Amino acid sequence: MNKIIIEPFKIKSVEPISINTKIERQKIIKNAHYNLFSINSRDVIIDLLTDSGTGAMSSEQWAGIMRGDESYAGSNSFERFNKAVKNIFGFEYVIPTHQGRAAEKILFEVICKEGDIIPSNAHFDTTRANIEFQQAIAKDLIPDRFKDTQLDDPFKGNMDIEKLKNLIDEHLDKIPIIMMTITNNTGGGQPVSMANIRDVSDIAKEHNIPLYIDACRFAENAYFIKQRENGYSEQSIEDIVKEMFSYADGCTMSAKKDGISNIGGFLCTNDEELSNRKKDLLILTEGFPTYGGLAGRDLDAIAIGLREAMDVDYLNYRINSTSYLGKKIHDYGVPILMPPGGHAIYIDAGLFLPHIPKEEFPGQALACTLYVEGGIRSSEIGSLMFGDNSPHELVRLAIPRRTYTQSHIDYVIEIIKEVYNQKESIKGLKIIKQPKFLRHFSAKLTTIK
Ligand code: F0G
């Protein structure tokens, strides 16, 4: 088993990367006011800002794009998409949307009202925002011990069952739905075990509350179950996925992740009445139910991408190449959120830069240094993003699917090691201008001398 895990694909089309110099990057970051969202992608060497919509499509997906049927109603592309999604996830009704957050918007508009509480293992920020937009409360129920970034656990994405029971005991009439995010993105790309999904489902059924899964990284989660959970090593990814979703009443999905497509999403449910209400909203905002804000060709690309994301050779390469990056830097002493996640590695910038207080944004300071040293773009998930309430100061290195090769990742490792060697010289940042909401996207910062 010592064999190198190779990228299980050949490259047919390439996109050039332009290599700039450190002196150029120092100017670029200064002009961008130390905000990586303000940098043009042409000035980035390795872009690890997100794994969303940044994957490389396969030759089959491109062939699907050409087969796309752009009919307004009754499109053949929708038929293929509908069949693929029903087959994989097993739900009765499938509603296409332009991306994941559109599915969330429709779900919460239909299912929740002011004052409701929506528990989850951990809501992603768009899910939280869509719940709060309905004047409801998004509640994360991660076990307290998992908040320690250095604790290693095979299923660190699990929901805390006791916390869920207590919440239901106190507020049963205020909980219209329970959500489960697989894998858990805000908590480090960590998987949820089958046992945990089953336990949450039992509790949901007992109280007649529907359980929905945020399915963005469903295939990666299934691979972790196959690798780590007793009784699943001989099962196919397809069967594990079927079982995971058999415990749920519906799901929301961003096809930009494990759909390996550049755009798209969907909402599934088994409830006919709910599905009709969702479709009414869909027509208002997204489009007719057989295309939902997408082109027919996108539906074909997603139908094919969802299957490719479950290929075990692909997943073996995918999960191992992410953990390769994590392990190499962790062995060097770089503090990362343990264990390595499925789609990303999260550096603990609070531990990496103990001399920078959280008021001076250690995560952003580290992200900017990675850019200056090696043209690597990452994202801060810490006090700049969440303000004083942020539990951690993390820098996320999200790995796009099938996009970078091992030498790109080796380059990233080399740069991180160099930055680690000179960590004492990194200085904090201060905000000079910020908007009222979601400040991390557009805040202007400067270095503290
Ligand atoms: N749920 C999760 C767990 C996500 O990670 C995302 C997006 C969404 C929902 C929303 O999907 O972008 O298609 O509307 N995450 C991206 C990221 C943006 O970088 O982690 P969307």
Side-chain angles (χ1 to χ4, degrees):
M1 287 304 285
N2 290 336
K3 287 198 187 122
I4 291 177
I5 296 167
I6 60 166
E7 287 87 3
F9 48 80
K10 294 184 284 181
I11 297 168
K12 185 173 272 180
S13 172
V14 297
E15 185 181 345
I17 294 173
S18 52
I19 312 283
N20 47 15
T21 65
K22 184 169 169 180
I23 292 169
E24 285 166 339
R25 292 191 294 270
Q26 277 166 338
K27 277 192 207 133
I28 292 167
I29 193 85
K30 198 164 174 222
N31 289 340
H33 300 283
Y34 298 89
N35 189 325
L36 293 156
F37 286 98
S38 302
I39 291 178
N40 193 292
S41 71
R42 87 174 79 85
D43 296 324
V44 176
I45 296 177
I46 307 283
D47 206 343
L48 307 182
L49 190 64
T50 180
D51 66 319
S52 179
T54 50
M57 291 211 293
S58 66
S59 48
E60 267 312 301
Q61 284 178 292
W62 283 109
I65 292 269
M66 289 310 296
R67 267 196 303 274
D69 172 4
E70 305 304 338
S71 308
Y72 190 94
S75 143
N76 293 311
S77 294
F78 178 73
E79 228 167 69
R80 291 188 283 267
F81 167 84
N82 193 36
K83 195 169 155 203
V85 175
K86 273 180 148 175
N87 245 316
I88 295 168
F89 298 93
F91 297 113
E92 205 54 40
Y93 306 99
V94 181
I95 298 169
T97 58
H98 81 274
Q99 60 184 83
R101 65 199 70 184
E104 292 164 2
K105 170 89 167 63
I106 292 172
L107 174 66
F108 296 121
E109 201 164 330
V110 168
I111 217 160
C112 78
K113 58 178 189 315
E114 191 176 337
D116 281 349
I117 303 170
I118 320 292
S120 171
N121 48 342
H123 292 284
F124 181 64
D125 59 4
T126 58
T127 324
R128 173 174 293 279
N130 271 304
I131 290 169
E132 289 172 356
F133 191 70
Q134 302 300 326
Q135 315 285 333
I137 299 159
K139 196 124 183 105
D140 291 345
L141 302 179
I142 280 278
D144 290 335
R145 63 191 193 93
F146 287 176
K147 290 178 186 156
D148 173 2
T149 60
Q150 302 309 294
L151 179 104
D152 203 332
D153 187 284
F155 291 106
K156 219 175 168 181
N158 281 357
M159 191 185 293
D160 189 316
I161 298 295
E162 283 311 307
K163 284 189 187 172
L164 178 64
K165 283 181 179 163
N166 292 341
L167 191 75
I168 293 176
D169 280 349
E170 255 179 74
H171 300 289
L172 177 60
D173 54 332
K174 285 195 179 150
I175 305 176
I177 184 174
I178 298 172
M179 293 289 298
M180 257 305 213
T181 312
I182 61 167
T183 58
N184 167 5
N185 184 9
T186 26
Q190 303 293 323
V192 178
S193 70
M194 192 72 89
N196 192 249
I197 300 176
R198 203 181 299 127
D199 288 348
V200 171
S201 168
D202 286 346
I203 295 169
K205 284 201 177 81
E206 190 186 321
H207 295 94
N208 234 345
I209 308 171
L211 168 65
Y212 274 59
I213 294 180
D214 176 336
C216 291
R217 299 175 181 88
F218 73 98
E220 292 173 7
N221 200 88
Y223 184 81
F224 279 118
I225 288 176
K226 187 175 168 72
Q227 294 296 307
R228 296 181 182 173
E229 194 161 351
N230 276 344
Y232 289 95
S233 62
E234 296 303 315
Q235 287 209 28
S236 69
I237 296 293
E238 285 79 359
D239 284 347
I240 295 173
V241 168
K242 276 221 166 71
E243 183 179 341
M244 277 165 24
F245 287 89
S246 72
Y247 299 121
D249 300 283
C251 73
T252 56
M253 172 73 186
S254 167
K256 300 171 76 171
K257 284 85 172 175
D258 277 352
I260 325 185
S261 297
N262 302 123
I263 195 71
F266 51 86
L267 173 57
C268 294
T269 180
N270 283 331
D271 184 325
E272 188 180 4
E273 198 234 310
L274 265 186
S275 131
N276 289 336
R277 282 167 57 205
K278 287 169 185 165
K279 280 184 194 160
D280 289 346
L281 265 182
L282 185 83
I283 294 179
L284 270 184
T285 57
E286 294 281 293
F288 196 69
T290 57
Y291 69 85
L294 293 167
R297 54 178 173 266
D298 299 325
L299 298 171
D300 272 299
I302 295 167
I304 298 163
L306 290 169
R307 287 243 164 260
E308 291 180 353
M310 292 191 295
D311 180 276
V312 82
D313 291 333
Y314 157 73
L315 282 169
N316 196 23
Y317 137 79
R318 167 78 177 152
I319 301 300
N320 278 296
S321 58
T322 306
S323 77
Y324 172 83
L325 164 60
K327 280 190 190 131
K328 289 266 173 177
I329 59 173
H330 185 250
D331 287 351
Y332 197 72
V334 175
I336 62 165
L337 194 156
M338 288 296 285
H343 70 293
I345 295 298
Y346 297 64
I347 300 177
D348 189 328
L351 296 176
F352 193 112
L353 301 171
H355 61 285
I356 303 183
K358 59 187 287 178
E359 300 73 42
E360 295 177 10
F361 311 113
Q364 188 67 8
L366 177 57
C368 289
T369 310
L370 292 177
Y371 175 73
V372 170
E373 288 303 320
I376 299 164
R377 178 154 66 172
S378 54
S379 62
E380 188 259 12
I381 303 186
S383 293
L384 182 61
M385 186 181 266
F386 295 123
D388 297 340
N389 300 328
S390 182
H392 299 300
E393 303 298 329
L394 302 175
V395 171
R396 185 181 77 167
L397 307 161
I399 318 291
R401 291 167 183 77
R402 306 190 291 210
T403 304
Y404 293 116
T405 63
Q406 187 176 338
S407 75
H408 291 119
I409 298 298
D410 282 332
Y411 170 81
V412 172
I413 293 165
E414 191 177 284
I415 297 296
I416 293 172
K417 285 181 180 173
E418 271 171 30
V419 169
Y420 191 64
N421 291 343
Q422 49 162 54
K423 55 186 188 298
E424 285 83 12
S425 66
I426 300 174
K427 297 206 166 62
L429 296 165
K430 66 176 178 208
I431 294 179
I432 48 177
K433 201 166 180 208
Q434 60 178 311
K436 223 170 166 187
F437 301 107
L438 296 170
R439 68 176 179 185
H440 56 287
F441 289 127
S442 58
K444 293 183 174 173
L445 298 102
T446 188
T447 46
I448 295 173
K449 295 282 177 291

